[in-house]
Amino acid sequence: MRNFWQRFLALLTPGVQLLLCLLAGMYLTAVIGKLIRAFDLYDWLALSGPKFWSGQIWRLATYALLPAGVLDFLMNSVALVMLGGMLERHWSRGELWLYCVVAAAGAGLTKVVLQFSSPLPLTGAAPMVFGLLIAWGFLCGRENISLVPFGEMTVWKLVVVAGAISFLIMFFTAGLVTAIIMAAGGLTGFVYLWLKHKWLMSRASSVIHSERINRLEL
């Protein structure tokens, strides 16, 4: 148990620490606001179709800062620590945050398109978790990982299994549309990483091509 906590705390990279502090601070502020009946952060920041189409576009990202409840906060926080800590070692802090915003915004856009007239609010960091899960597979998909009791499997297989289980849990607890909206964070993240990879490859090839031309001219 002690070794588990040591490994878990080792994943708390600076970017993940600040993200967790932000989530915890927003949740605590929201709870206090409701208890003292002074303000309602959920009314200000949660995402719904009518409020977005009325011009409140900031809700595409701010909804992800407000957990849907204590269990949602705890589960997503653990996932953010484990996945975000690994990914921040591949990226910079800013790249991790930008990716989280992209994943959240992708799910948010899916929400306001599928439920453009529904006042039902969307909250929670689940789209970011789906996005980080996809990013882990995108960056480390061919690596093998041992998982008790399933044995050894590739990261991509684990990502697919974990994503499918999460989707089914949301489907049975919140419905198909909500599950699709949350999973859209992962799809948006995949498209973002694929486009970024294509752009980097084209940029690298153009630099190599230019160097060869310069050598020929010499």
Side-chain angles (χ1 to χ4, degrees):
M1 188 68 177
R2 184 178 180 182
N3 290 334
F4 170 80
W5 280 112
Q6 289 177 345
R7 293 177 183 177
F8 183 79
L9 293 175
L11 294 173
L12 281 172
T13 52
V16 173
Q17 289 180 26
L18 289 174
L19 184 58
L20 282 179
C21 288
L22 179 60
L23 292 174
M26 293 292 289
Y27 187 36
L28 181 60
T29 303
V31 171
I32 292 174
K34 282 191 174 183
L35 288 176
I36 64 177
R37 298 182 180 180
F39 55 86
D40 188 353
L41 281 186
Y42 285 87
D43 185 53
W44 296 347
L45 303 179
L47 177 64
S48 67
K51 290 185 177 180
F52 170 80
W53 294 115
S54 68
Q56 301 178 23
I57 60 175
W58 65 84
R59 295 174 182 270
L60 281 179
T62 57
Y63 78 88
L65 301 176
L66 296 171
V70 176
L71 185 59
D72 179 74
F73 171 74
L74 293 175
M75 293 181 64
N76 287 331
S77 294
V78 171
L80 286 172
V81 170
M82 298 180 68
L83 295 171
M86 289 187 292
L87 294 173
E88 192 173 347
R89 289 178 172 83
H90 290 272
W91 298 335
S92 67
R93 186 185 311 174
E95 287 175 319
L96 175 65
W97 290 346
L98 175 61
Y99 181 77
C100 288
V101 171
V102 169
L109 283 172
T110 305
K111 157 75 174 177
V112 299
V113 169
L114 294 181
Q115 298 179 324
F116 60 91
S117 61
S118 173
L120 187 67
L122 175 67
T123 58
M128 292 195 297
V129 173
F130 271 104
L132 293 174
L133 194 62
I134 290 295
W136 183 35
F138 197 94
L139 295 175
C140 311
R142 295 182 180 180
E143 295 181 7
N144 289 324
I145 186 170
S146 295
L147 187 66
V148 179
F150 303 104
E152 192 173 273
M153 65 175 65
T154 63
V155 170
W156 258 128
K157 288 183 179 179
L158 180 58
V159 166
V160 171
V161 171
I165 292 174
S166 299
F167 183 87
L168 289 174
I169 291 174
M170 290 183 182
F171 170 71
F172 287 113
T173 57
L176 178 60
V177 176
T178 300
I180 291 174
I181 290 170
M182 296 300 187
L187 179 60
T188 304
F190 180 85
V191 173
Y192 171 81
L193 292 175
W194 181 79
L195 291 174
K196 182 179 179 181
H197 174 72
K198 289 294 182 181
W199 178 74
L200 291 175
M201 291 297 292
S202 64
R203 185 179 178 186
S205 63
S206 64
V207 171
I208 294 173
H209 181 67
S210 299
E211 289 177 351
R212 288 177 177 173
I213 291 177
N214 291 335
R215 289 172 184 173
L216 289 173
E217 288 177 351
L218 293 173

